[in-house]
Amino acid sequence: MSSPRNLVRILYPKSHAIRSSKVSTAITFNFPTQASFGWRGQSRDSIGTVLCVDDDGILRVGFPGASRGWKADPAEMERVEEFKVGDWVRIRPTLTSAKHGLGSVTPGSIGIVYCIRPDSSLLIELSYLPNPWHCEPEEVEHVAPFRIGDQVCVKRSVAEPRYAWGGETHHSVGRISEIENDGLLIIEIPNRPIPWQADPSDMEKVEDFKVGDWVRVKASVSSPKYGWEDVTRTSIGVIHSLEEDGDMGVAFCFRSKPFSCSVTDMEKVPPFEVGQEIHVMPSVTQPRLGWSNESPATVGKILKIDMDGALNVRVTGRQNLWKVSPGDAERVPGFEVGDWVRSKPSLGTRPSYDWNSVGRESLAVVHSVQDSGYLELACCFRKGKWITHYTDVEKVPSFKVGQYVRFRTGLVEPRWGWRGAEPESHGVITSIHADGEVRFAFFGLPGLWRGDPSDLEIEQMFEVGEWVRLNYNANNWKSIGPGSVGVVQGIGYEGDELDRSIFVGFCGEQEKWVGPSSHLERFDKLFVGQKVRVKQYVKQPRFGWSGHTHASIGTIQAIDADGKLRIYTPAGSKTWVLDPSEVEVVEEKELCIGDWVRVKASISTPTHHWGEVSHSSIGVVHRMEDEDLWVSFCFTERLWLCKAWEMEWVRPFKVGDKVRIRDGLVTPRWGWGMETHASKGQVVGVDANGKLRIKFRWREGRPWIGDPADLALDED
């Protein structure tokens, strides 16, 4: 009989591994409705300590608050991470008694492992005890550690913290400046003369928010810092500003100005994205922005998203876009019968439903889509179908008849064995069943070969006429090297078999390049009529400048079969010949929501007049409708209306940019403060309306607030 002291828990139904101190054996196991030796008050969530292992392999497990020596089949247990000195742990909140006594310890308290005794019991340091507390491993659980620099606040569930408030509230946000050996947190709070002490179990980390995050009020918040106003728990908005004292401004599409609250009031939510299909939630009887002749049955696709989160939705058959508040909308699964899917990697080691017996890397085909968001799936090696929620799976490209395939790298053995094939074998898909099973013809093997699609990968093959580029696996050949662009002229055969050699024509070479497809990558084909210019890093084009420069922009007039470009420029007396690998396409950029803009110098008076705006003003496009733009400037509360053709794009300032005061500026919009024209600093914050927060050198305290029109990038 051996006596390792491992923490274990009862397995959920899954494909799992049994681990011991010496052996790791992977098996598939379907968990029964009853444990082999009975539950005896335990559940699948119970965690205990292995006390010993009998000669027949049966485990003896100790669970907190239960009699010692619970018998367990090792196939029904999984190992849990063990503790080490310095780990942050929490005394299990459900603990009612402890082997060595609770004393004055409060279940739920957070401490740090001080020592591991020879019998594997633990000594835990707690901030409110003078001496370490003695416990068994199953009486505590791991928690995420606090770290110096973390932003924290008092939990809403804590009415009175262990260390008195001292003027703080649940909305107060501080930064951890020091952590004692027993876990006691020393916290710096803005506008507080001395640091504050806190028990870690009273505190929680504040999410790391940034401007542009989508948020809503936490369920645990009874009232936001400055009240609800017209915001509700279901309202979803976008962060427009973050203040140093922990306040934030959130834009909601049904409000004319940002909603002020504390960072402790809000939580992140997944953002909506352009291209997603949505409908109004069944629980919503009257949408915030109205029905606009739509109904609860209407489904549309998001075409664009305003800066305040308003969703502009395209509904089939409608000319105008439908505006929907994100708090009223929910995503439509977007899956169709025949889609290929796999379990999302983000689900970790416990995929939901029957992915357990299928395998996380397996591919399945959607057989039916249910109204509740559940999908019925089928796969080629499992009888019958199974149900999973659409949020648990992701689409993958489907296999198609005619594609070239090979076995995926690292495959040990195909689902149904090799059957004459080899790891290097490759072939062509000839048929695909509704459950995803593929049949393909292997070169050199008689008949059709049956395969599981998860064992395969698409082999890149090129068609005659496709544009390709030599990748960096290829060697130099004549005047051609990695990065060169050409056109596929043919595919090589050896007898009746495809030998996978590709013939490529490169401009300037009479002879065709011949090599494997692994040395090539697809290149976006160029077309007659496109505007191009020579790339900046090209010092000397292969066929010369012909009187042009890097600034010259020309139009493709003709393209030879080997990809050679013939360019027309108004300044040129004759056609300019260029290698396609030396040019870049010049596209006229259309303005989008979120772009930084200013009024063009050629506009003397905007259509809707100047107001407080001038030629030097820089703002952010907040909303767009046809030719109209609504622009947010940092010095106005209301959006400024103008025409799209009146504005031009400017480079946005970003966090980390090095900046200085603009030359010739008489007075910054919000004053000089301690700064001068010689001041240089770094952008540490950018609001959604373009307002900048600058940390200037040798300055302490709050950042300097600036109008982007008053600043310039520091090129030095």
Side-chain angles (χ1 to χ4, degrees):
M1 180 182 292
S2 60
S3 58
R5 299 276 293 185
N6 291 327
L7 278 184
V8 294
R9 65 179 165 197
I10 303 165
L11 279 169
Y12 286 82
K14 62 181 282 189
S15 172
H16 63 271
I18 297 179
R19 297 183 180 91
S20 71
S21 56
K22 295 182 179 178
V23 181
S24 178
T25 308
I27 64 166
T28 300
F29 179 79
N30 291 319
F31 196 86
T33 55
Q34 286 292 324
S36 299
F37 297 98
W39 287 105
R40 291 171 56 191
Q42 304 308 321
S43 70
R44 289 187 173 92
D45 295 320
S46 299
I47 294 181
T49 305
V50 176
L51 305 174
C52 63
V53 181
D54 293 345
D55 293 336
D56 57 2
I58 299 301
L59 307 179
R60 302 288 181 142
V61 184
F63 288 101
S67 60
R68 313 293 283 173
W70 189 81
K71 292 175 71 175
D73 182 342
E76 296 169 357
M77 311 300 288
E78 70 176 355
R79 187 171 174 178
V80 179
E81 186 181 358
E82 297 176 12
F83 298 103
K84 57 184 182 292
V85 172
D87 282 352
W88 287 67
V89 295
R90 175 171 48 217
I91 300 165
R92 293 186 178 278
T94 55
L95 196 68
T96 55
S97 62
K99 179 181 178 182
H100 307 287
L102 278 170
S104 54
V105 167
T106 305
S109 296
I110 292 175
I112 297 175
V113 176
Y114 171 73
C115 174
I116 301 175
R117 294 163 62 101
D119 63 354
S120 294
S121 62
L122 309 174
L123 292 179
I124 309 295
E125 283 203 291
L126 298 162
S127 67
Y128 57 86
L129 291 184
N131 298 307
W133 177 64
H134 187 199
C135 68
E136 291 296 309
E138 65 266 26
E139 295 167 349
V140 296
E141 60 188 358
H142 281 96
V143 292
F146 286 97
R147 301 186 189 282
I148 291 174
D150 284 346
Q151 276 196 312
V152 292
C153 65
V154 176
K155 294 175 182 174
R156 298 282 171 153
S157 58
V158 175
E160 195 69 35
R162 189 175 295 275
Y163 298 93
W165 284 108
E168 285 68 44
T169 69
H170 285 105
H171 298 293
S172 299
V173 177
R175 197 174 293 277
I176 298 173
S177 61
E178 192 178 341
I179 302 175
E180 303 288 352
N181 291 335
D182 57 9
L184 181 70
L185 306 179
I186 310 300
I187 301 168
E188 299 278 356
I189 297 176
N191 303 320
R192 196 180 198 275
I194 58 173
W196 186 54
Q197 294 186 139
D199 181 357
S201 56
D202 291 338
M203 308 302 289
E204 64 182 356
K205 295 180 185 179
V206 175
E207 284 198 73
D208 184 20
F209 293 108
K210 62 182 183 297
V211 171
D213 283 343
W214 292 58
V215 293
R216 68 179 167 209
V217 178
K218 289 179 183 175
S220 60
V221 173
S222 57
S223 177
K225 185 175 181 178
Y226 302 108
W228 286 101
E229 298 184 23
D230 51 354
V231 173
T232 68
R233 290 196 183 281
T234 59
S235 302
I236 294 175
V238 181
I239 297 176
H240 271 204
S241 63
L242 290 166
E243 306 295 337
E244 289 294 301
D245 59 3
D247 282 359
M248 66 163 65
V250 181
F252 291 95
C253 61
F254 50 83
R255 290 174 57 90
S256 60
K257 61 181 183 179
F259 173 72
S260 295
C261 59
S262 167
V263 293
T264 64
D265 295 329
M266 311 302 282
E267 65 182 0
K268 292 181 187 178
V269 296
F272 285 90
E273 297 174 359
V274 170
Q276 288 179 330
E277 287 191 325
I278 63 155
H279 63 177
V280 171
M281 290 189 291
S283 59
V284 175
T285 55
Q286 181 59 41
R288 282 276 192 167
L289 305 180
W291 282 109
S292 301
N293 298 321
E294 305 304 336
S295 72
T298 302
V299 174
K301 184 172 289 188
I302 299 173
L303 193 66
K304 56 187 176 183
I305 302 174
D306 294 347
M307 290 284 283
D308 57 10
L311 310 176
N312 295 266
V313 180
R314 171 69 69 198
V315 178
T316 303
R318 304 281 190 184
Q319 185 175 359
N320 297 326
L321 296 180
W322 178 30
K323 275 194 178 291
V324 181
S325 171
D328 295 336
E330 69 177 358
R331 300 162 184 82
V332 175
F335 288 93
E336 298 177 356
V337 172
D339 283 343
W340 289 54
V341 297
R342 67 179 173 201
S343 177
K344 282 184 179 176
S346 58
L347 293 180
T349 57
R350 291 184 180 274
S352 64
Y353 304 97
D354 287 350
W355 282 106
N356 314 314
S357 57
V358 173
R360 292 184 50 74
E361 301 302 321
S362 298
L363 302 180
V365 180
V366 177
H367 184 263
S368 68
V369 181
Q370 302 178 8
D371 293 338
S372 58
Y374 286 88
L375 308 175
E376 188 179 24
L377 305 180
C379 73
C380 62
F381 58 86
R382 172 184 168 134
K383 289 184 179 179
K385 300 167 182 67
W386 80 96
I387 299 293
T388 190
H389 197 262
Y390 81 93
T391 57
D392 293 337
V393 296
E394 62 184 6
K395 289 184 185 180
V396 296
S398 60
F399 285 85
K400 295 181 175 63
V401 171
Q403 285 179 322
Y404 290 84
V405 293
R406 63 186 173 208
F407 292 112
R408 61 179 171 82
T409 305
L411 181 68
V412 177
E413 186 176 11
R415 172 78 57 184
W416 295 292
W418 290 106
R419 292 170 288 133
E422 297 177 354
E424 296 77 24
S425 297
H426 59 278
V428 180
I429 296 176
T430 59
S431 67
I432 303 175
H433 292 198
D435 61 6
E437 180 183 303
V438 295
R439 299 290 175 99
F440 44 95
F442 270 137
F443 301 114
L445 284 181
L448 297 180
W449 205 88
R450 173 191 179 210
D452 178 349
S454 61
D455 293 339
L456 307 170
E457 62 186 14
I458 303 298
E459 185 171 18
Q460 184 169 246
M461 294 298 290
F462 300 100
E463 297 179 5
V464 172
E466 271 197 276
W467 286 54
V468 292
R469 176 168 53 198
L470 275 182
N471 61 31
Y472 287 91
N473 294 325
N475 297 320
N476 290 332
W477 175 78
K478 296 191 174 181
S479 63
I480 304 304
S484 296
V485 174
V487 181
V488 175
Q489 305 292 319
I491 301 173
Y493 282 80
E494 186 175 324
D496 293 332
E497 281 196 29
L498 185 76
D499 70 0
R500 294 185 286 180
S501 292
I502 308 294
F503 291 76
V504 181
F506 289 98
C507 60
E509 294 295 342
Q510 294 294 323
E511 200 177 331
K512 302 290 185 292
W513 177 91
V514 182
S517 61
S518 60
H519 287 179
L520 299 170
E521 58 190 33
R522 283 184 170 83
F523 182 81
D524 290 335
K525 184 177 181 180
L526 296 171
F527 297 95
V528 171
Q530 282 183 310
K531 293 185 183 299
V532 295
R533 64 182 166 214
V534 175
K535 295 174 180 175
Q536 284 296 323
Y537 66 79
V538 176
K539 302 303 180 186
Q540 178 63 36
R542 288 181 68 198
F543 306 112
W545 284 107
S546 300
H548 299 88
T549 67
H550 281 108
S552 301
I553 295 177
T555 304
I556 299 176
Q557 199 171 36
I559 304 175
D560 293 355
D562 58 7
K564 185 186 294 178
L565 307 177
R566 301 182 184 275
I567 311 296
Y568 167 78
T569 59
S573 57
K574 60 178 182 177
T575 301
W576 184 19
V577 177
L578 289 172
D579 184 319
S581 63
E582 297 171 341
V583 304
E584 60 187 6
V585 176
V586 178
E587 296 179 354
E588 292 184 5
K589 187 181 187 304
E590 291 187 4
L591 294 177
C592 303
I593 292 170
D595 280 349
W596 288 47
V597 293
R598 68 181 167 209
V599 179
K600 291 177 180 176
S602 60
I603 302 297
S604 57
T605 304
T607 304
H608 300 286
H609 305 293
W610 285 105
E612 298 176 61
V613 176
S614 68
H615 275 114
S616 63
S617 302
I618 294 175
V620 182
V621 178
H622 187 95
R623 184 153 56 99
M624 299 178 67
E625 287 183 16
D626 300 325
E627 286 189 347
D628 289 333
L629 299 183
W630 283 261
V631 181
S632 176
F633 291 95
C634 62
F635 51 84
T636 60
E637 284 194 5
R638 304 180 72 84
L639 299 177
W640 187 71
L641 177 62
C642 61
K643 295 295 183 182
W645 50 266
E646 297 172 337
M647 309 301 286
E648 64 182 3
W649 181 88
V650 297
R651 180 198 181 279
F653 285 96
K654 301 173 184 175
V655 172
D657 280 348
K658 303 287 194 304
V659 295
R660 56 179 174 79
I661 307 293
R662 180 170 57 83
D663 293 338
L665 182 68
V666 178
T667 305
R669 184 169 296 279
W670 292 290
W672 286 102
M674 299 290 291
E675 308 312 325
T676 68
H677 276 109
S679 299
K680 295 187 176 184
Q682 186 173 21
V683 177
V684 294
V686 183
D687 290 358
N689 60 8
K691 183 187 290 182
L692 303 178
R693 298 162 195 274
I694 314 295
K695 207 77 170 172
F696 283 105
R697 293 177 190 169
W698 326 121
R699 298 283 189 257
E700 297 294 335
R702 290 176 173 244
W704 187 83
I705 305 299
D707 181 337
D710 295 342
L711 294 150
L713 288 174
D714 182 14
E715 303 295 347
D716 297 334

